[in-house]
Amino acid sequence: MDDSRLFERTVSSAIQYSGPVFDVYSDTVELCNKKTARRDYLKHRGAVAVVPLTDNGGVIIERQFRYPQQRVMTEIPAGKLEAFDTDPLDAAKRELKEEIGVTAKEFVPLGIYIPSPAILSERIYVYLARGLSYGNAHPDEDEFLDYRETPLCQLIDMIMNDQISDGKTVFGLFKAAEYLRRQEREANG
């Protein structure tokens, strides 16, 4: 499939706001029909998220208050990349250790979640972590987290019952469940 006719060419780009987490841009683009249009978006350096799978099939999840939503949400461990060129795997290892005090022997890439492609450049690199070892958490000074182990099947039920609605968590848990299902099917022939 040739998508080249769908591409938009940047004519001009202007930063409207620069902050510690994202920058806001207003760009003029040339469309495939040679007309121009305006594209406003947030440029974000990206993030990682990890599904920490315990030896008995549970997942360590977090609960934390999310100010824009004005509620406590259930999520998998996650965090921003330090810079645009940060290695996502290194960031995943860092976030897992900082947020829940866990290291892992194995990290399996589950894919890239794009939360809002029309207005946000953020890409979230999602991993399954296995072979967990436990230590002390060191969350950021503005992070207050509760975490616990919950069976993966129960978390999938929570998604289906709208008890978990965070996009990266839904993506990560479903991808992890399908990855494990396929691994089991291959093992059983």
Side-chain angles (χ1 to χ4, degrees):
M1 180 180 308
D2 179 21
D3 290 338
S4 62
R5 65 181 185 80
L6 301 175
F7 280 87
E8 299 176 353
R9 184 180 66 80
T10 305
V11 175
S12 65
S13 181
I15 191 164
Q16 303 297 317
Y17 165 81
S18 184
V21 177
F22 60 82
D23 299 329
V24 178
Y25 281 81
S26 184
D27 290 4
T28 300
V29 299
E30 182 181 71
L31 306 171
C32 57
N33 65 1
K34 304 298 182 196
K35 293 184 179 183
T36 60
R38 181 174 158 174
R39 300 288 185 245
D40 296 332
Y41 66 99
L42 286 78
K43 190 170 186 177
H44 188 286
R45 60 185 172 265
V48 294
V50 183
V51 179
L53 185 70
T54 64
D55 291 341
N56 61 351
V59 174
I60 301 171
I61 55 158
E62 304 174 342
R63 294 191 38 82
Q64 67 177 310
F65 184 77
R66 291 299 193 177
Y67 185 81
Q69 297 299 318
Q70 287 294 300
R71 67 185 180 116
V72 174
M73 298 189 69
T74 300
E75 304 177 32
I76 55 178
K80 296 179 293 297
L81 298 178
E82 297 291 328
F84 283 102
D85 61 352
T86 301
D87 177 47
L89 180 57
D90 289 342
K93 291 176 181 179
R94 180 196 71 232
E95 288 299 325
L96 197 59
K97 179 76 174 149
E98 284 179 6
E99 290 193 0
I100 62 174
V102 167
T103 57
K105 290 180 184 170
E106 178 185 18
F107 284 83
V108 177
L110 293 176
I112 299 172
Y113 174 66
I114 300 174
S116 188
I119 62 166
L120 180 61
S121 70
E122 182 181 32
R123 297 169 145 242
I124 302 175
Y125 300 84
V126 183
Y127 294 90
L128 173 66
R130 296 195 287 195
L132 307 183
S133 297
Y134 303 90
N136 294 321
H138 302 283
D140 295 337
E141 64 182 34
D142 65 346
E143 274 184 317
F144 300 93
L145 309 169
D146 285 332
Y147 49 91
R148 66 177 182 270
E149 180 181 341
T150 305
L152 179 56
C153 60
Q154 183 180 338
L155 293 170
I156 298 298
D157 287 343
M158 291 172 71
I159 292 169
M160 298 307 292
N161 293 323
D162 293 327
Q163 294 171 288
I164 296 176
S165 54
D166 171 61
K168 71 183 174 307
T169 300
V170 171
F171 177 91
L173 292 173
F174 272 118
K175 291 278 278 208
E178 180 61 15
Y179 174 84
L180 295 169
R181 187 188 70 76
R182 289 180 182 199
Q183 251 197 341
E184 183 178 324
R185 188 175 65 205
E186 285 177 17
N188 294 330

